[in-house]
Amino acid sequence: MANGTSGGAPGRVEIRCPASAAGPERVCPVYVGTCGYSYSEWVDSGFYPEGTKSAAMLGLYGRCFSVVELNYTWYQMARAEALARMVEGAPPHLLFAAKLTRTMTHERDDNWREQLVLYRQGIAPLGKRLVAVLIQLPPDFDRSLANRGYLAALLDGLEGLPVAVEFRHHSWAVDSVFAELSRRRVSLVTVDAPDLPGLFPALDVVTNPGLFYGRFHGRNREGWRSGNMQKKFNYDYTDKELRTWCAGHLPVMVARADRGILVFNNHVRAQAPRNAARLAAILGELGDGEG
């Protein structure tokens, strides 16, 4: 990796990849943002101005970032009318990743195929601004024969959409899984999370040359399995941790993909937007010392 420069939009950094045996010099745009944007505590924490209402948050968010992961589509089925209004009022540079609804991941219903049809209809207004549908699978979703069959059917049902998969169970970290995701051009999510037994490891395997996708959950070992979301995602990355991550993972990922997104999930006390802004700044600074 040679350098990073501002891509002209907030939270978007262009990483220049030098010529190599794999091809000529090129630029890989990296979009940095957060998982969700509508948090009242972000007003109290100072990310949003005092008195900011929910309806005004996305516009303010777009002043800082160029991608956002929609969390609410995990809690409730996406509705086309609501998403159309959201897109209409969003800054034009803002891209969206949308989580797949929990009734198809964590709380699977027997009618998941019907749910999938509704989901596809619901996210349709995102159009070309949809950077990925995120399938986040639960920690107990291991690589059993039944689960492999379910995931394959789910991916078949999402055919034609950009898709990323985040595993939480370590059993999926095998070459055959990576090969199948590559065949389908589905992005394997790179996770940054506490180093705990049984969790999917932090890898920089790129399975889709069209997109790499990284999620920073924080490294709160004590809170991760507490059952309390505030404790689980209460973590503030240090500059050293972010720079170490960049040095260790980013060169491999930008070398193998045309673009990438990096989002922060440690939402407590607005640590996510603060860390995201810092990471974007670090990526931009890389050009000052290298090249």
Side-chain angles (χ1 to χ4, degrees):
M1 181 171 60
N3 66 32
T5 59
S6 169
R12 180 183 187 274
V13 182
E14 293 183 344
I15 305 295
R16 183 168 60 83
C17 304
S20 68
E25 179 179 296
R26 63 186 181 82
V27 168
C28 177
V30 178
Y31 300 80
V32 184
T34 65
C35 306
Y37 65 91
S38 182
Y39 296 97
S40 58
E41 68 173 291
W42 288 10
V43 178
D44 299 333
S45 301
F47 177 68
Y48 293 125
E50 185 177 350
T52 300
K53 304 297 183 187
S54 296
M57 289 181 177
L58 190 58
L60 293 169
Y61 177 92
R63 295 181 184 179
C64 301
F65 303 109
S66 292
V67 68
V68 65
E69 189 180 279
L70 298 177
N71 274 342
Y72 88 89
T73 55
W74 184 81
Y75 291 99
Q76 56 185 280
M77 179 57 65
R79 292 177 50 248
E81 301 84 0
L83 281 179
R85 286 195 300 272
M86 186 195 71
V87 170
E88 185 178 352
H93 65 275
L94 196 61
L95 301 177
F96 298 91
K99 288 182 75 172
L100 192 66
T101 313
R102 58 183 171 180
T103 50
M104 290 170 277
T105 57
H106 294 60
E107 301 165 9
R108 224 183 309 165
D109 287 341
D110 292 338
N111 68 340
W112 68 267
R113 292 183 186 279
E114 297 169 25
Q115 298 272 318
L116 194 57
V117 172
L118 293 174
Y119 182 84
R120 293 191 66 125
Q121 294 171 347
I123 64 169
L126 296 176
K128 293 182 178 179
R129 297 172 71 173
L130 175 69
V131 68
V133 170
L134 172 63
I135 304 174
Q136 181 197 306
L137 296 163
D140 61 354
F141 190 87
D142 62 7
R143 199 170 67 89
S144 67
L145 185 61
N147 286 342
R148 276 182 278 166
Y150 176 72
L151 180 57
L154 196 57
L155 293 175
D156 288 343
L158 290 167
E159 181 71 31
L161 294 173
V163 177
V165 177
E166 178 180 347
F167 298 108
R168 291 284 172 89
H169 196 280
H170 66 96
S171 60
W172 294 92
V174 294
D175 288 342
S176 59
V177 171
F178 306 151
E180 177 60 12
L181 294 180
S182 296
R183 187 186 71 79
R184 291 176 177 267
R185 294 179 69 89
V186 168
S187 301
L188 174 71
V189 172
T190 291
V191 292
D192 190 90
D195 183 16
L196 292 171
L199 281 183
F200 193 82
L203 302 174
D204 47 29
V205 176
V206 175
T207 55
N208 177 9
L211 179 75
F212 71 79
Y213 196 135
R215 302 186 85 217
F216 293 78
H217 296 300
R219 302 174 184 178
N220 190 330
R221 292 178 61 89
E222 291 71 30
W224 187 259
R225 287 169 174 157
S226 68
N228 183 311
M229 300 294 277
Q230 289 296 103
K231 291 182 180 177
K232 183 176 183 178
F233 297 115
N234 182 15
Y235 192 82
D236 193 13
Y237 284 93
T238 66
D239 259 33
K240 181 180 180 181
E241 288 171 333
L242 295 176
R243 290 181 185 279
T244 299
W245 189 93
C246 288
H249 293 282
L250 198 66
V252 175
M253 298 168 76
V254 297
R256 296 175 181 170
D258 295 331
R259 67 174 178 171
I261 67 171
L262 300 171
V263 290
F264 285 76
N265 199 22
N266 51 329
H267 61 84
V268 178
R269 298 201 301 273
Q271 291 164 127
R274 187 164 60 248
N275 290 165
R278 188 63 196 131
L279 178 61
I282 289 171
L283 293 178
E285 290 169 4
L286 290 176
D288 296 335
E290 302 177 18

